[in-house]
């Protein structure tokens, strides 16, 4: 009985998400094919020029846009940003610093602070439990 390993493949959308790029901006052959795990690893290890260009200039998918602006994806939507943006457009938004962006950044900072507070509280509780158990 021989066991043969099947090649893991993924849809282009999944591969684009893992690479942090906007699928619609990738080359046609990338969008139309399937990507194997080893191809994905090769793209991550030695990104071709098109991938380097996309990562540098965009257009970027919403999770990347949100991260570059320091807001949540929901915050982007509340700000009316529903499309992929280029690095240039993101930089222009940062310069402009509209009221919605300031508000969303403040909200995001509070969310992060609260997450840290909760994490520390859980760590303290776990430590007390550990100490009382020994």
């Amino acid at each position: 009985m021989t066991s043969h390993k099947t090649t893991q493949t993924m849809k282009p959308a999944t591969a684009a998400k893992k690479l942090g790029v906007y699928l619609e901006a990738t080359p046609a052959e990338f969008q139309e094919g399937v990507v194997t795990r080893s191809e994905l690893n090769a793209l991550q290890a030695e990104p071709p020029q098109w991938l380097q260009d996309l990562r540098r200039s965009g257009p970027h998918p919403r999770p990347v846009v949100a991260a570059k602006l320091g807001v949540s994806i929901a915050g982007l939507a509340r700000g009316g940003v529903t499309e992929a943006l280029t690095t240039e457009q993101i930089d222009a938004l940062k310069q402009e610093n509209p009221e919605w962006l300031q508000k969303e950044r403040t909200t995001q900072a509070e969310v992060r602070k609260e997450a840290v507070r909760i994490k520390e509280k859980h760590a303290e509780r776990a430590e007390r439990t550990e100490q009382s158990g020994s």
Side-chain angles (χ1 to χ4, degrees):
M1 189 159 135
T2 59
S3 69
H4 73 255
K5 197 172 181 184
T6 57
T7 306
Q8 252 193 326
T9 61
M10 61 193 83
K11 293 177 184 167
T14 305
K17 189 182 262 185
K18 290 180 181 287
L19 293 168
V21 295
Y22 185 57
L23 178 63
E24 283 75 5
T26 61
E29 55 278 11
F30 181 86
Q31 291 181 40
E32 293 161 6
V34 292
V35 181
T36 65
R37 173 65 63 192
S38 57
E39 286 170 337
L40 179 72
N41 291 342
L43 285 169
Q44 288 173 322
E46 290 182 34
Q49 193 60 51
W50 65 264
L51 183 53
Q52 291 175 38
D53 294 345
L54 268 181
R55 285 178 167 168
R56 183 176 40 260
S57 309
H60 302 288
R62 285 182 315 186
V64 174
V65 173
K68 286 179 179 276
L69 289 173
V71 300
S72 67
I73 293 173
L76 273 184
R78 285 191 292 269
V81 178
T82 56
E83 301 295 311
L85 298 180
T86 63
T87 300
E88 200 175 297
Q89 290 170 312
I90 292 168
D91 291 343
L93 251 179
K94 285 178 178 177
Q95 287 285 207
E96 195 180 300
N97 202 12
E99 193 176 316
W100 72 264
L101 182 57
Q102 296 171 35
K103 189 176 161 208
E104 290 301 335
R105 281 180 162 167
T106 302
T107 300
Q108 191 66 6
E110 288 168 4
V111 166
R112 284 192 195 108
K113 252 191 276 182
E114 181 64 6
V116 167
R117 186 190 70 76
I118 290 169
K119 189 176 177 183
E120 287 171 351
K121 187 177 176 183
H122 286 302
E124 283 174 24
R125 190 176 293 150
E127 203 175 294
R128 281 200 306 271
T129 304
E130 207 175 272
Q131 287 172 350
S132 65
S134 32

